Amino acid sequence: MKYKILIHAPILSSPGGKQNYFAALRSKFQHEVHFFFYGAKGKKERFFTVPIRLIRDYWKFYWELKKNNYDLVHLNPSLNPKSFFRDSIFAFLGYLAGTKMIVFWRGWRWDFEKKYVGKIVPFFRMTYGRATAMICLANDFARRLREYGYKNPVYLETTVVEDAIINGEFPDGSLEQQTKDITLLFLSRVEKAKGIYETIDSFQNLLERHENIKLHIAGTGKELVNVKAYVTQKNIPNVSFLGWVDGHQKAEALSNSDIFVLASYTEGMPNCILEAMAMGKAIVTTEVGGLKDFFEHEKMGLNVKIKDSNDLEQKLEKLLLKPSLIEQMGAFNRSYARELFAATVVCERLENIYEATIKGADYKHSYPVHQ
């Protein structure tokens, strides 16, 4: 039996983790899946028009649910100031419309959670707490939801690796097939909280001992202009800015790298790390969000301390001094990621959750995590 499901999401042609996730899954769904796209939809908005557009979105969403008899609505909030309060209204409207509802927590800012959300638990229960089931990207997030008093099923899930990465005609990244140069890749939003400055500082220090390394920075973000100025001011060679990459461009950037670096301060579960693993890259990252539920230090890559460029430098040097370790980690990651994070596999798990939620059952599933 095919169920009718409405997914609440930003327009998929815009950059972002939610957009990448559903763009990768859209053609894989077996059920009848529709999208309700909220937000500016890529258009520039004046400050005074935002409340008007929000009210219009709320109105359209409610009547979409009332008129079309969906079996399930799927919301995708993040635990940050903008998304939490905006999407709480959508959650309450889903409850008023009488539609079964899944809430998939895509991001989780602990500073916001501790300062605000923990103090307004009644509001949480009145809005998001009405959900029939929830999904999150880390065990830590799931435990916190239980502490709020949420008693319905909570599922642990992952983000996804795009077909362009899995099926593209790109080399595995073997150092034996490449030049003697070793390329580090940062691919994410260019923001301070992603550890971009620690990455650049450690790279600069490593250049004094390893002339054969390069740093590629892919992505856009509010800090990009400042980061470019920082590299220029410090006169750091061998740094290239690739801009925003997607699809085959992203796969090519990954293929042309050897070590993937993301020294982020906080995460849900970054798509970029799963994609780098699927392309056979050794990973150097922090132990945050859903990463610490499955990431195996010294097997998939190396964990580094948050906001510590010295530790990052030391961990990167460990790999630079032993290229065979890069190869070994990359080979393991490629097999692991393609088995668990491919779009077809992720979509099947998600639709199993949909079916269980609609039927009122508790779907027993998981991917390998450290308990």
Side-chain angles (χ1 to χ4, degrees), residues 165-286:
I165 305 294
I166 297 290
N167 303 325
E169 296 296 326
F170 297 96
D172 293 341
S174 171
L175 290 172
E176 295 178 0
Q177 299 174 1
Q178 299 179 8
T179 67
K180 63 180 181 179
D181 291 341
I182 295 179
T183 300
L184 315 181
L185 176 64
F186 171 99
L187 192 160
S188 185
R189 293 192 311 277
V190 183
E191 298 177 0
K192 183 178 179 181
K194 296 293 183 179
I196 183 63
Y197 288 106
E198 289 84 355
T199 301
I200 293 169
D201 289 344
S202 61
F203 175 77
Q204 182 182 26
N205 291 338
L206 287 167
L207 272 173
E208 297 175 2
R209 302 183 297 279
H210 303 274
E211 296 180 353
N212 65 323
I213 60 173
K214 300 176 181 178
L215 174 61
H216 290 176
I217 297 173
T220 60
K222 60 184 180 182
E223 198 65 19
L224 181 58
V225 172
N226 293 333
V227 167
K228 287 183 175 180
Y230 187 74
V231 171
T232 301
Q233 179 186 359
K234 300 190 78 173
N235 196 27
I236 306 174
N238 298 356
V239 178
S240 300
F241 290 90
L242 308 183
W244 180 47
V245 294
D246 198 12
H248 287 278
Q249 287 181 325
K250 182 192 293 184
E252 187 173 7
L254 288 164
S255 177
N256 292 333
S257 65
D258 304 297
I259 302 170
F260 188 87
V261 186
L262 187 68
S264 190
Y265 304 169
T266 181
E267 287 290 346
M269 182 179 288
N271 285 39
C272 56
I273 284 186
L274 308 192
E275 291 165 343
M277 291 176 68
M279 288 293 288
K281 307 304 164 184
I283 309 298
V284 177
T285 190
T286 45

Side-chain angles (χ1 to χ4, degrees), residues 122-148:
F123 176 80
F124 176 89
R125 292 174 179 169
M126 185 177 67
T127 55
Y128 295 113
R130 309 279 193 176
T132 317
M134 291 191 184
I135 306 172
C136 53
L137 295 169
N139 271 316
D140 283 350
F141 308 160
R143 283 190 284 269
R144 193 64 176 136
L145 292 172
R146 292 303 187 199
E147 290 172 7
Y148 295 160

Side-chain angles (χ1 to χ4, degrees), residues 6-13 19 22 26 34-41 53 57 60-61 90:
L6 182 67
I7 296 176
H8 174 267
I11 191 166
L12 303 189
S13 58
Q19 297 91 314
F22 288 112
R26 192 172 193 174
H34 301 256
F35 284 86
F36 180 90
F37 296 121
Y38 64 87
K41 301 180 179 66
R53 191 259 303 154
D57 281 350
K60 288 181 178 179
F61 179 74
F90 287 111

